[in-house]
Amino acid sequence: MIPITDVSPDEGDLYAARKKIQPRSIKGRFNNVRWAMVWITQIVFYGLAWLPWNDRQAVLFHLVERKFYIFGIVLWPQDVLFLALLLIISALGLFLVTAVAGRVWCGYACPQSVYTEIFMWIERHIEGDRSARMKLDAAPMSARKLGLRAAKFGAWGALALWTGFTFVGYFTPIRELASEIASWSLGPWEAFWMFFYAAFTYVFAGHMREQVCKYMCPYARFQGVMFDPDTLIVSYDANRGEPRGNKKKAREGQVVGDCVDCDWCVQVCPTGIDIRNGLQYECIGCALCIDACDQVMDKVGRPRGLIAYTTERTLLAKKPAHEGWREVMAHILRPRVILYTSLLAFIVSGFAWALFTRTPVKMNVLRDRATLAREVEGGKIENVYRLRIMNTSEIARRYVLEVEGLPGAAIADLREIEVEAAGSRDIAARVQVDADALQPGSHEIYFNLQAVDAPDVRVHEKTSFLQPR
Amino acid sequence: MATEIEIEEVETRRVPGRFGRLFALVSWPSFLVAAVAETVFFSLINPRELYLLGEPVHFSPLATYTIGFFGFWCVAGASSLISSWMAEKMPACADRCVGRK
Ligand code: SF4
Ligand code: SF4
């Protein structure tokens, strides 16, 4: 007989539990900070795109023109170094903040948290509080449920579309975009990105929520590397809280800790974890469980801080959170923090220095490949160059062009070149040299470009001059 | 003065299944990598100066950026997909493994 083994796939693997988290809303200090951050980040995001500056959009990464406008600064593709520096600065900044204060970025500023919060706010105002939402989830489909769902998805959709529109508005001028939409003549690619980003926001903030942080975000996984025993973490004071239980129901003589086991800290948690199990990578450090537990402690008449911002060192020293603050402050200046801070200070000052001392004009020189060296009237040899002159300043400028490096070299039809503010111009320059003055072959030659109105605005570019045999 | 606080069982975790896990492991990191690659590539190369099969590219710059982005995403995604598939197939780490088991 052949033994029969069950090889059907483990159902739990393919169709795992998908119970939605319906967090309880909570008021409190940290919730206020969270909302303040929502307001600040979103006023900046939705508003900045509309801010004008020198007759143009203040912050615009103009993809078609290939120019980045950031208030008074205009960056060109040649300035890619600044972009790289900016990335390094952001990364270092994140390292520093994480080392000192843990996941404050996740809890308060990450777009994923911020949009989830806004989407939940909408949800709460349409479908009701936590228990109402859980009832609604469990209820069979009815006209009321359909109506509430439609209202919620509609509101989410509208917000997501506005977000998508604003996002695209940072890459093509937002006012043009708005008038294109109004006149129903939006370009297909702009429309595509608008809907793409809207869908992205909708799905991430409306449906995936904590799963993005728990399963998709790389930062959540490698934050452990940046943590040390002095990093601020949200944690539960087990010494004080355990054994948890209800004081009233406790039997005579039974010792009960301060935790009344009310589960509020779990119910408010947007990632659905129980902070009493210790530090978990799922914890986004939003501190809502602190707000919740503080309220419970107030109600049962115990000091706050059963769940609090503290550090591993303080926890090990078995100090209650409110006394641990001195410990925390005493260890703020530690080698890791000093290293990150000094690196950051160094790069930021280098960045600022490079930005403010950069010459507001650039020139690319290419020898014209179509016309090689040729002989022209008067026994001269002529090379033709294509020059692109980029005025990165905010005023229109006139420049004079000169050549040097070869005896008797001169530019034919020399004239002043005018370039508009933050604009560029392509010109052809014909350089002529006496045929007898040079050996055949390639010779170094330099172009000097000098602004007429400002002596320090000048560039010097090397190229080669070809003398045929 | 102590108020009775209701006690309620909560079961809140959503755990992705195999496909969900694969989606999370593949789509998102490759998206981030594609965004970086796109920025670096197009800050160095002007879409108007690209050649496609020997012909100058005649798409609009936005179209080129978009195609470029999804191209990078696909390539990075393919790499992530292979890596995660291999990681799944990798035999469990033996005792002598360096680092975490
Ligand atoms: S909110 Fe505080 S008292 Fe309630 S279960 Fe959580 S830790 Fe215990
Ligand atoms: S455990 Fe507390 S701090 Fe961490 S995510 Fe949950 S509610 Fe926020």
Side-chain angles (χ1 to χ4, degrees):
Chain A
M1 212 179 118
I2 305 162
I4 297 169
T5 342
D6 186 7
V7 288
S8 61
D10 181 4
E11 274 213 331
D13 197 21
L14 281 173
Y15 309 99
R18 290 201 162 269
K19 194 136 187 206
K20 203 166 160 196
I21 296 178
Q22 293 288 14
R24 176 192 288 274
S25 76
I26 191 85
K27 294 198 170 64
R29 294 178 283 165
F30 295 106
N31 188 47
N32 292 343
V33 176
R34 263 161 73 85
W35 274 102
M37 286 303 291
V38 169
W39 280 103
I40 295 170
T41 51
Q42 296 318 293
I43 286 174
V44 169
F45 176 72
Y46 293 114
L48 196 57
W50 296 94
L51 189 73
W53 188 273
N54 285 353
D55 292 336
R56 57 168 161 75
Q57 196 170 322
V59 177
L60 176 62
F61 306 100
H62 204 312
L63 289 183
V64 174
E65 280 183 12
R66 293 175 64 73
K67 273 185 241 166
F68 288 1
Y69 303 98
I70 306 167
F71 296 97
I73 302 167
V74 185
L75 294 179
W76 295 65
Q78 286 82 352
D79 295 315
V80 63
L81 173 75
F82 289 105
L83 205 69
L85 280 179
L86 218 53
L87 277 179
I88 296 174
I89 290 173
S90 323
L92 269 177
L94 196 61
F95 287 4
L96 176 64
V97 168
T98 310
V100 173
R103 290 178 72 176
V104 283
W105 161 262
C106 299
Y108 302 98
C110 175
Q112 176 63 22
S113 306
V114 167
Y115 285 105
T116 300
E117 225 173 312
I118 301 175
F119 273 54
M120 279 184 182
W121 181 88
I122 294 176
E123 188 171 64
R124 192 162 69 241
H125 281 81
I126 292 176
E127 293 186 343
D129 62 10
R130 176 169 187 265
S131 50
R133 291 200 305 270
M134 285 162 95
K135 258 187 225 130
L136 191 70
D137 282 349
M141 188 47 81
S142 64
R144 180 175 167 272
K145 184 168 176 175
L146 197 70
L148 286 176
R149 286 283 199 254
K152 176 173 88 172
F153 294 152
W156 281 0
L159 180 65
L161 275 176
W162 187 253
T163 310
F165 165 71
T166 310
F167 176 76
V168 176
Y170 280 101
F171 298 96
T172 63
I174 197 163
R175 281 158 214 273
E176 282 172 31
L177 204 63
S179 60
E180 275 172 24
I181 292 176
S183 65
W184 215 246
S185 62
L186 189 63
W189 297 104
E190 284 94 341
F192 169 79
W193 280 106
M194 219 178 104
F195 283 104
F196 182 80
Y197 198 77
F200 186 71
T201 310
Y202 185 96
V203 171
F204 269 40
H207 295 288
M208 297 185 60
R209 297 188 176 173
E210 83 289 348
Q211 299 189 88
V212 175
C213 312
K214 282 157 81 166
Y215 308 116
M216 296 171 84
C217 177
Y219 173 64
R221 305 300 181 90
F222 76 83
Q223 44 141 342
V225 185
M226 294 180 267
F227 274 33
D228 61 27
D230 295 302
T231 300
L232 274 186
I233 47 176
V234 173
S235 71
Y236 165 71
D237 187 350
N239 287 313
R240 192 185 134 188
E242 300 294 315
R244 62 186 79 157
N246 192 317
K247 283 202 174 29
K248 272 198 202 159
K249 293 188 188 147
R251 272 173 285 116
E252 196 67 34
Q254 190 185 348
V255 194
V256 184
D258 274 353
C259 171
V260 297
D261 207 9
C262 63
D263 261 346
W264 270 36
C265 49
V266 184
Q267 292 176 19
V268 297
C269 178
T271 67
I273 58 171
D274 186 342
I275 191 66
R276 294 172 299 173
N277 298 338
L279 180 65
Q280 298 145 71
Y281 86 84
E282 289 99 331
C283 171
I284 57 169
C286 65
L288 290 181
C289 51
I290 303 184
D291 281 341
C293 193
D294 280 354
Q295 277 179 34
V296 176
M297 290 299 111
D298 289 353
K299 278 188 191 159
V300 300
R302 302 290 306 160
R304 292 178 165 199
L306 180 56
I307 303 179
Y309 268 118
T310 178
T311 65
E312 215 181 304
R313 188 185 300 278
T314 326
L315 280 178
L316 285 179
K318 298 202 191 309
K319 288 204 182 137
H322 55 278
E323 282 172 30
W325 270 102
R326 238 164 271 139
E327 195 96 9
V328 173
M329 296 316 282
H331 289 94
I332 277 227
L333 282 184
R334 48 191 191 270
R336 179 191 290 250
V337 173
I338 296 172
L339 177 76
Y340 286 156
T341 314
S342 26
L343 265 178
L344 201 59
F346 179 72
I347 298 180
V348 168
S349 31
F351 181 83
W353 182 80
L355 196 63
F356 288 110
T357 56
R358 90 196 159 119
T359 318
V361 60
K362 294 174 200 298
M363 177 167 63
N364 287 352
V365 181
L366 273 181
R367 223 198 11 255
D368 193 337
R369 282 179 230 166
T371 48
L372 282 172
R374 62 174 182 212
E375 208 158 323
V376 292
E377 273 172 41
K380 285 174 190 272
I381 298 294
E382 181 179 272
N383 278 199
V384 182
Y385 300 85
R386 304 254 151 230
L387 308 184
R388 167 165 292 178
I389 295 160
M390 288 158 274
N391 176 5
T392 62
S393 73
E394 294 269 24
I395 46 169
R397 278 215 157 103
R398 281 180 301 128
Y399 303 91
V400 276
L401 189 67
E402 279 165 3
V403 274
E404 64 177 40
L406 285 182
I411 303 175
D413 309 332
L414 181 68
R415 62 212 178 284
E416 284 182 355
I417 305 145
E418 181 152 5
V419 185
E420 56 174 357
S424 74
R425 205 155 142 202
D426 295 324
I427 61 160
R430 296 189 289 126
V431 176
Q432 301 178 342
V433 179
D434 279 336
D436 326 329
L438 283 184
Q439 300 288 327
S442 172
H443 301 270
E444 272 183 13
I445 188 171
Y446 299 89
F447 278 104
N448 281 333
L449 188 74
Q450 165 75 59
V452 174
D453 63 335
D456 56 332
V457 178
R458 51 182 304 155
V459 277
H460 182 70
E461 289 291 335
K462 184 173 123 179
T463 183
S464 58
F465 187 90
L466 217 60
Q467 164 81 316
R469 261 148 298 199
Chain B
M1 72 143 279
T3 337
E4 196 59 44
I5 289 155
E6 82 194 89
I7 296 173
E8 197 179 336
E9 268 308 306
V10 275
E11 171 49 73
T12 45
R13 301 210 170 197
R14 284 193 287 185
V15 183
R18 182 152 181 259
F19 297 128
R21 218 157 37 218
L22 214 56
F23 175 78
L25 285 179
V26 171
S27 67
W28 187 238
S30 53
F31 179 89
L32 297 178
V33 170
V36 174
E38 166 99 351
T39 315
V40 173
F41 184 84
F42 284 112
S43 52
L44 299 176
I45 287 163
N46 188 339
R48 291 196 186 86
E49 283 157 18
L50 280 176
Y51 282 79
L52 183 68
L53 306 175
E55 297 281 315
V57 169
H58 56 264
F59 304 132
S60 76
L62 275 185
T64 314
Y65 289 128
T66 309
I67 295 167
F69 178 76
F70 282 91
F72 282 128
W73 197 4
C74 286
V75 172
S79 161
S80 289
L81 191 65
I82 295 173
S83 295
S84 58
W85 179 78
M86 282 172 66
E88 249 179 34
K89 300 280 176 226
M90 178 111 78
C93 199
D95 278 350
R96 266 169 295 152
C97 267
V98 182
R100 248 195 291 173
K101 270 180 256 172

